[in-house]
Amino acid sequence: MPHVITQACCGDASCVYACPVNCIHPTPDEPDFGIAEMLYIDPSTCVDCGACVSACPVGAIVPGHRLPETAARFADVNAGHYGEPATDEARFPVRAEWRLPMAPITKPARLGGAAPGELRVAIVGSGPSAMYAADELLKHREVKVSVFERLSQPFGLARFGVAPDHESTRSVANLFDEIARHPNITIALNTEIGRDITLDELRRTHHAVLWAGGAPTDRPLAIPGVDLEGVQSATSVVGWYNGHPDFADAAPLLDGERAVIIGNGNVALDVARILTADPDRLAVTSIDLTALASLRDSAVREVVVAARRGPENAAFTLPELVGLADGPARVWTDPAELAALDIPELHDPEQAAKIALLHEISQRPRPAEPFIRLAFGLTPEQILGDDRATGIRFRRTVGGEPVELSAGLVLTAIGYRGLPVPGLPFDEADGTVTNRDGRIVVDEAPLPGMYVTGWAKRGPTGFIGTNKTDSQETVAALLDDAQAGLLPATAASGSAPRRFGRRLAAR
Ligand SMILES: Cc1cc2nc3c(=O)[nH]c(=O)nc-3n(C[C@H](O)[C@H](O)[C@H](O)COP(=O)(O)OP(=O)(O)OC[C@H]3O[C@@H](n4cnc5c(N)ncnc54)[C@H](O)[C@@H]3O)c2cc1C
Ligand code: SF4
Ligand code: SF4
């Protein structure tokens, strides 16, 4: 039985390099790599050697004969990528004209000439993009990396974003732990750049500063009623159930029978799953214990995940929908509502597969409570209520008739957004630090020694592994500049770094 890639795949492509027969695609040098929702094993060429299993940082690859029932569909999802038979011509026709790439893909640069540990690089943030950048930099013995993280625990959204029931995905922390054990890296926790240390201090004491601070806020929804009690962002609920210190007071009101989530990306599905999960199942995960206690008392019987557009534009990914449909969650979509939508014929096979699965879900009996209902074509108009939310009024996106749903909790999940960083140029349009290929630029001119990666660089798109190629691009630019002598030469020389280390320890 060939091996199969399953839901947890975060697209870092480690398996591609481990496979002796090149049967995992798309590879980083293929055009569809940047737009694929996961990677796929070609069952007709896999020789079942198992090399990819140990390469995968999140345990996403399973020998076909050991696929659990809940992941059985992934055998078809993998094979479906290659068509039948698996020829190059039949191979997965997802094309760049249908989707935007999630991250750039480049070959890393090489560094030579400097003495060991001579090139000092500061990285702000310790999320996936920071750790992948550190890993890339640490391949060069000339580089010493100092990571600065504002929280008391590292790894950003890999720890505080990924849902607690996605244990395989969360195990990527083991890879980051491994990177953090390298002798040429230090990580200073509880250290916020801009509060405890200024950006200028970092620039004075390092040859290069790499900003990997993420996209820390959610996009606001501008409709009447969003300020009512019982309305909050899905981001805050994620932070709350994952024990993020900024969201300790963000407990959602769980005393109503229905919750509505506006937006249908993977984060919306995460929150819907956690709000409807059996608390005993959550108890064995890393969920915050205060959150778990509240979930045990929850009165929520139905979580409606409401999207403005139709299933052809569903924001959630195919692996997440498969996991929802075949896992322990109870999910349903109203067949009448689905039939009323005018779903166009699709070229994109991943989107087409989502629609086929949604039709299958709609044919199931309405599940026992609490359950998740996926709803489409609903444009939110107003959150109803005097002091607190009691419901929400939508308008059908096509047709325009009003639809009212009672709800004691309304969550907005329409995406993340970066915040301006004092001292760095900011692109208002897409909420990113202004950059070209990872070099921070002001009026198109690079700011010497200043770089950016991850969500702060490209905006909140892609998966954990997407940050790997993104960080490789930024590090390649940094190393090219180092080779070309373009980094500020005096910044990290003399006793300045030692004095900086002493000041940091004192603070
Ligand atoms: C709710 C949620 C669930 C997700 N689930 C999955 C999933 O299941 N699978 C998957 O593949 N991807 C998932 N993702 C996507 C993935 O988490 C992101 O692609 C990835 O975390 C982005 O990495 P980053 O390093 O750019 O940002 P982040 O992970 O946000 O890291 C930024 C870090 O910088 C720190 N920081 C910010 N400002 C400062 C400062 N001034 N000083 C010091 N430190 C600072 C922050 O505290 C944080 O630790 C999820 C995303 C979200 C939001
Ligand atoms: S089991 Fe071996 S041949 Fe099959 S995909 Fe993994 S590495 Fe490639
Ligand atoms: S997470 Fe990485 S190594 Fe694992 S299957 Fe996906 S691309 Fe391959």
Side-chain angles (χ1 to χ4, degrees), residues 139-290:
K139 290 176 183 165
H140 306 272
R141 49 202 276 283
E142 299 84 355
V143 181
K144 223 177 189 135
V145 173
S146 312
V147 172
F148 300 90
E149 167 57 55
R150 62 178 283 267
L151 299 177
S152 59
Q153 288 177 286
F155 311 150
L157 290 169
R159 186 186 299 269
F160 291 112
V162 175
D165 61 343
H166 276 7
E167 281 142 337
S168 295
T169 307
R170 291 178 72 90
S171 67
V172 75
N174 298 334
L175 171 73
F176 298 154
D177 270 331
E178 193 56 40
I179 295 168
R181 274 194 280 273
H182 193 287
N184 280 355
I185 183 174
T186 57
I187 302 188
L189 299 172
N190 286 315
T191 310
E192 182 170 332
I193 303 307
R195 184 193 64 187
D196 305 310
I197 295 176
T198 66
L199 202 50
D200 274 348
E201 267 178 291
L202 279 194
R203 294 185 72 181
R204 280 201 302 274
T205 47
H206 295 80
H207 293 97
V209 177
L210 204 160
W211 190 272
T217 187
D218 53 293
R219 285 177 51 205
L221 181 70
I223 59 170
V226 285
D227 296 328
L228 290 172
E229 198 187 351
V231 184
Q232 64 187 89
S233 67
T235 315
S236 61
V237 177
V238 169
W240 169 73
Y241 63 59
N242 275 331
H244 190 304
D246 292 358
F247 299 104
D249 297 329
L253 294 174
L254 300 175
D255 53 350
E257 293 209 340
R258 184 184 286 126
V260 172
I261 304 179
I262 301 171
N264 74 349
N266 285 351
V267 174
L269 296 195
D270 280 352
V271 173
R273 240 181 21 256
I274 297 298
L275 292 183
T276 54
D278 174 356
D280 286 341
R281 252 185 13 86
L282 293 177
V284 296
T285 70
S286 56
I287 193 165
D288 177 80
L289 293 180
T290 314

Side-chain angles (χ1 to χ4, degrees), residues 3 18-21 23-24 41 45-52:
H3 281 51
C19 178
V21 294
C23 68
I24 307 178
I41 291 175
T45 48
C46 171
V47 295
D48 252 350
C49 69
C52 52

Side-chain angles (χ1 to χ4, degrees), residues 8 71 87 102 116-117 148 189 269 346 379 393 412 423 437 447 457 466:
T87 61
M102 290 183 272
F148 300 90
L189 299 172
L269 296 195
L346 295 175
T379 299
R393 188 170 62 241
T412 58
D437 306 336
L447 214 53
K457 170 188 176 189
T466 317

Side-chain angles (χ1 to χ4, degrees), residues 5-6 8-16 24 39 52 55-61:
I5 300 184
T6 61
C9 175
C10 68
D12 76 339
S14 301
C15 53
V16 168
I24 307 178
L39 268 62
C52 52
C56 178
V58 294
I61 307 180

Side-chain angles (χ1 to χ4, degrees), residues 345-499:
E345 201 191 319
L346 295 175
H347 302 291
D348 184 329
E350 278 177 345
Q351 290 300 98
K354 285 179 207 172
I355 291 173
L357 184 49
L358 283 168
H359 278 294
E360 186 189 316
I361 291 169
S362 75
Q363 295 311 309
R364 297 175 180 176
R366 195 181 159 116
E369 295 173 344
F371 73 103
I372 300 167
R373 180 152 73 88
L374 301 176
F376 298 91
L378 294 175
T379 299
E381 228 178 40
Q382 180 172 5
I383 295 163
L384 309 170
D386 295 328
D387 302 323
R388 67 163 283 184
T390 55
I392 173 162
R393 188 170 62 241
F394 293 97
R395 203 161 277 283
R396 290 217 183 271
T397 309
V398 177
E401 67 273 26
V403 176
E404 273 191 23
L405 288 179
S406 62
L409 177 67
V410 178
L411 303 176
T412 58
I414 56 171
Y416 281 66
R417 191 180 153 77
L419 286 175
V421 179
L424 294 183
F426 187 67
D427 189 330
E428 276 295 342
D430 55 11
T432 55
V433 175
T434 315
N435 74 93
R436 214 169 46 227
D437 306 336
R439 289 182 180 91
I440 297 181
V441 294
V442 176
D443 297 332
E444 288 299 308
L447 214 53
M450 296 296 291
Y451 303 85
V452 60
T453 189
W455 277 15
K457 170 188 176 189
R458 67 176 195 278
T461 63
F463 319 109
I464 289 173
T466 317
N467 298 291
K468 184 167 171 167
T469 46
D470 195 11
S471 290
Q472 281 170 343
E473 181 190 64
T474 296
V475 168
L478 190 161
L479 296 179
D480 277 351
D481 291 351
Q483 280 294 76
L486 297 174
L487 299 184
T490 54
S493 62
S495 57
R498 264 199 315 281
R499 283 203 309 275

